[in-house]
Amino acid sequence: IPYNKEIEVTDGHIKLIPRPKNKSSNLSIDVLFSSLAETHKENVIGVVLSGSANDGTRGLKEIKLAGGITFAQDDTAKFSSMPKSAIAEGVVDFVLSPKDIAKELIQISKHPFVKREPQKIPPEDEIENSNPDLKIILHLLMAKKNVDFSHYKMNTIKRRMLRRMLINKSKTIKLYAEFLLQKNNEVDMLYQDLLINVTEFFRDAEAFLLLKNTVLPRLLKSKTEGGTLRIWVAACATGEEVYSIAMLLHEIQQHKSIQIPFQIFASDLSTEAISEARIGEYSIHQLKNVSPKRLQHFFTKTKDKYRIAKSLRDVCVFTEHNILKDPPFSRMDFISCRNFLIYLDTNAQKKAIATFHYSLNEGGYLMLGKSETIGASAQLFSVTNKKFKCYSRKKNSGSHRIPELSSSVSKLPPHYEETDPLNKNSKPTSIPKKIITAINGNLGNAFDSFLLSQYVPASVIINHDLEILQFRGPTSLYLQHSSGKASFNILKMAHVEITFELRNAIHHAIKTKQTVYKTGIEMNRDANGNASQIINLEVSPIKIDGEEPLLVIIFTSQQIEILEHVADGKYPIDRQEKKNSIAKDRRIKKLEEELASTRADMGTITYDQEAANEELQSANEEIISSNEELQSLNEELETSKEEIESTNEELITTNQELHSRI
């Protein structure tokens, strides 16, 4: 290609693009491979032949992560730097001579998964999640690696599995399951392919700016002298993000008089990734996001790599850890788990979020990846920054129970049920006791559910954010979903005629921490006003150990009859007038009660308003005082500026004299 160009492939078209002027090194093969991986995903084969330096290594890594296949030339290469760099990085599937690479490509082209025509159904969708051979493979992984991949998204697992099948020339999943039983090292290879280690230094630069400018300073400020800031980086891969956070903390504190010690706990499933992170050595292309200043300050050059400084390495503890199974770390101030939840199914995501909630201190922060959210666990966290998925643990939210995950791996297919693949002498077992316990437990649960549905009054549990957490009894008379965006806010769901009283009752219950009763609220049942209900509300605060403060709201009602059948003469006129009079008296009494309640509320509001005005006035005086100080400081700065200008003029004069003497 021309010397001042780079090449990329977009949607099947080869394009020449200008080479960036500020680019120090020419890595055109990386650009080409990366564009292929981004556009064509697993339908890419990357081959690195003889060449100098390390161009192509990063590109091959991206091809492999996308699900493609990678080759590198063996010792037959005249210039071996490029293939050796890729091999050392661990991103090469085949190391062969050019002749053998050609033979392997021919073999791959004949595989049934490689089709000339465009596929309507992706190959992974052709394998059912209930496929018995798929369950055998998951069971083998569970038995050898003690990791239950049934909680991961099956399409991702199947795509990685198909890649290994292509490399090993297994034409069906049944053949691949048999191949795994025969070759134990293939289980290791599949396991490594399933652990997707995608990371880099200061990944998503804006997210790290948020950490540096807002989150980490706030956490450091909350620590008293002698306290330690504790951070957990979950799914840390090869440690780049861990050391990035350590650099930020070091930079934030370098100009402060009081140094708050910090410790970063980093965990990952991959033993190999943890080993690399512990060593802390990175190639120059892995450090592309690290500024020259940081490179000089925090790294030491060793041969062709850069090693992290000992001062940072000593505060980072790396360990192998399974978030879904192993006991979590505790008393953490900040947890970063970015781009891991996207690989888990919904139940596993809930477990991971609950685990992080348990691990965090009150008011601690959790940061997720851009494509991740806390989902149905909104009662545990409040949003700090929506764009960069930063959340803070709600105060007084307590320690919620971490849900258990039921594995499908333990349930082997019928033809495989009698034996363990790793123990040929194993025998069938009888019904486990756990199942019998579950049967008995289900009867009690069913009985409780029946009683709750039939005899419990309509009631809900809400938190102080007015979000409904639980429903009990028939609530449809009082609560209904409004049109528009779905919401569990009780004031948005409540019938319009009870909203005002309900709001007041909740406000007073939160303020006084006492049970509040509201009675005699009239609510029409139909549009003609022929049938009404008298609604009574009871709002009671409840406190459960380890839980956030909650409120129980109980609705009760009594039906009343309004003037009916006047025209058909069902009731005598005097009786009808008597009923009408009773209805008017009831209405007048109701209006008087509302008026008295409104006056009391107005008094409270007036008092609160006066208190707020006093606080605002005090704040205003402080602002005026601060403004005067700022003006005084500004004048001092202007004086200093004039002095500097004067000094500058003297320096110019001295400089001119020196020039003259020279």
Side-chain angles (χ1 to χ4, degrees), residues 464-522:
H464 283 193
D465 293 330
L466 307 186
E467 293 292 326
I468 300 174
L469 306 180
Q470 294 274 339
F471 293 88
R472 288 290 184 274
T475 57
S476 58
L477 175 64
Y478 318 99
L479 304 173
Q480 58 186 4
H481 286 289
S482 56
S483 59
K485 187 179 179 181
S487 171
F488 279 105
N489 185 294
I490 190 166
L491 297 180
K492 291 182 180 177
M493 293 185 68
H495 196 286
V496 66
E497 291 176 290
I498 64 173
T499 302
F500 177 77
E501 298 287 3
L502 182 59
R503 187 197 303 273
N504 284 344
I506 292 170
H507 173 73
H508 284 101
I510 293 173
K511 190 174 181 180
T512 63
K513 295 183 173 58
Q514 300 292 327
T515 300
V516 176
Y517 299 93
K518 293 281 183 179
T519 59
I521 306 166
E522 191 171 321

Side-chain angles (χ1 to χ4, degrees), residues 24-38:
S24 57
S25 57
N26 176 25
L27 301 174
S28 55
I29 299 172
D30 280 338
V31 174
L32 170 63
F33 283 178
S34 298
S35 68
L36 283 164
E38 185 179 352

Side-chain angles (χ1 to χ4, degrees), residues 355-634:
T355 300
F356 297 146
H357 178 267
Y358 169 84
S359 298
L360 282 169
N361 292 327
E362 293 287 351
Y365 290 91
L366 168 67
M367 180 172 269
L368 303 177
K370 276 188 175 180
S371 304
E372 299 168 329
T373 64
I374 56 172
S377 305
Q379 74 274 16
L380 304 179
F381 293 91
S382 55
V383 179
T384 301
N385 188 295
K386 191 174 182 180
K387 183 179 179 182
F388 298 111
K389 302 301 188 296
C390 186
Y391 303 90
S392 63
R393 189 186 195 272
K394 285 186 178 178
K395 293 188 184 297
N396 303 318
S397 58
S399 54
H400 287 254
R401 185 179 64 86
I402 299 175
E404 294 297 326
L405 292 176
S406 57
S407 174
S408 61
V409 171
S410 58
K411 300 172 185 176
L412 291 177
H415 71 276
Y416 199 76
E417 219 164 32
E418 294 186 355
T419 60
D420 188 318
L422 302 181
N423 181 6
K424 302 297 181 184
N425 299 319
S426 62
K427 295 179 181 179
T429 58
S430 58
I431 298 174
K433 290 182 180 179
K434 283 184 181 177
I435 295 179
I436 298 169
T437 307
I439 292 169
N440 293 335
N442 285 339
L443 179 60
N445 291 337
F447 188 32
D448 291 342
S449 298
F450 175 77
L451 292 175
L452 285 170
S453 62
Q454 297 295 323
Y455 300 106
V456 170
S459 50
V460 293
I461 295 178
I462 67 169
N463 57 21
H464 283 193
D465 293 330
L466 307 186
E467 293 292 326
I468 300 174
L469 306 180
Q470 294 274 339
F471 293 88
R472 288 290 184 274
T475 57
S476 58
L477 175 64
Y478 318 99
L479 304 173
Q480 58 186 4
H481 286 289
S482 56
S483 59
K485 187 179 179 181
S487 171
F488 279 105
N489 185 294
I490 190 166
L491 297 180
K492 291 182 180 177
M493 293 185 68
H495 196 286
V496 66
E497 291 176 290
I498 64 173
T499 302
F500 177 77
E501 298 287 3
L502 182 59
R503 187 197 303 273
N504 284 344
I506 292 170
H507 173 73
H508 284 101
I510 293 173
K511 190 174 181 180
T512 63
K513 295 183 173 58
Q514 300 292 327
T515 300
V516 176
Y517 299 93
K518 293 281 183 179
T519 59
I521 306 166
E522 191 171 321
M523 186 175 78
N524 289 331
R525 289 290 305 276
D526 59 33
N528 299 320
N530 291 329
S532 289
Q533 294 275 349
I534 295 294
I535 307 298
N536 301 321
L537 301 175
E538 180 182 334
V539 183
S540 303
I542 60 168
K543 187 74 176 76
I544 305 169
D545 290 339
E547 298 283 346
E548 62 178 322
L550 302 172
L551 298 169
V552 175
I553 302 174
I554 300 171
F555 302 92
T556 55
S557 63
Q558 179 184 357
Q559 188 167 346
I560 58 171
E561 292 182 355
I562 305 296
L563 189 62
E564 292 178 334
H565 308 295
V566 176
D568 60 11
K570 184 174 181 180
Y571 300 112
I573 296 300
D574 57 342
R575 186 179 172 186
Q576 197 67 56
E577 288 175 355
K578 187 177 180 181
K579 283 189 67 180
N580 204 6
S581 176
I582 291 169
K584 284 181 180 178
D585 290 343
R586 186 173 60 247
R587 182 65 177 159
I588 290 167
K589 186 180 179 182
K590 173 65 179 168
L591 290 171
E592 286 175 349
E593 288 174 356
E594 286 184 3
L595 183 59
S597 174
T598 305
R599 282 175 177 167
D601 290 340
M602 282 297 293
T604 305
I605 292 167
T606 304
Y607 176 78
D608 292 343
Q609 185 69 31
E610 287 173 355
N613 284 340
E614 288 176 4
E615 289 175 5
L616 285 170
Q617 191 173 353
S618 175
N620 189 38
E621 289 171 0
E622 290 177 7
I623 290 167
I624 291 169
S625 175
S626 300
N627 190 35
E628 289 172 356
E629 290 175 7
L630 286 170
Q631 284 178 351
S632 174
L633 185 61
N634 191 34

Side-chain angles (χ1 to χ4, degrees), residues 143-160:
K144 186 166 184 182
K145 295 296 181 181
N146 201 22
V147 177
D148 186 359
F149 283 103
S150 68
H151 300 306
Y152 288 62
K153 287 182 179 172
M154 274 298 111
N155 272 5
T156 305
I157 299 296
K158 288 185 285 189
R159 274 197 298 271
R160 295 277 155 182

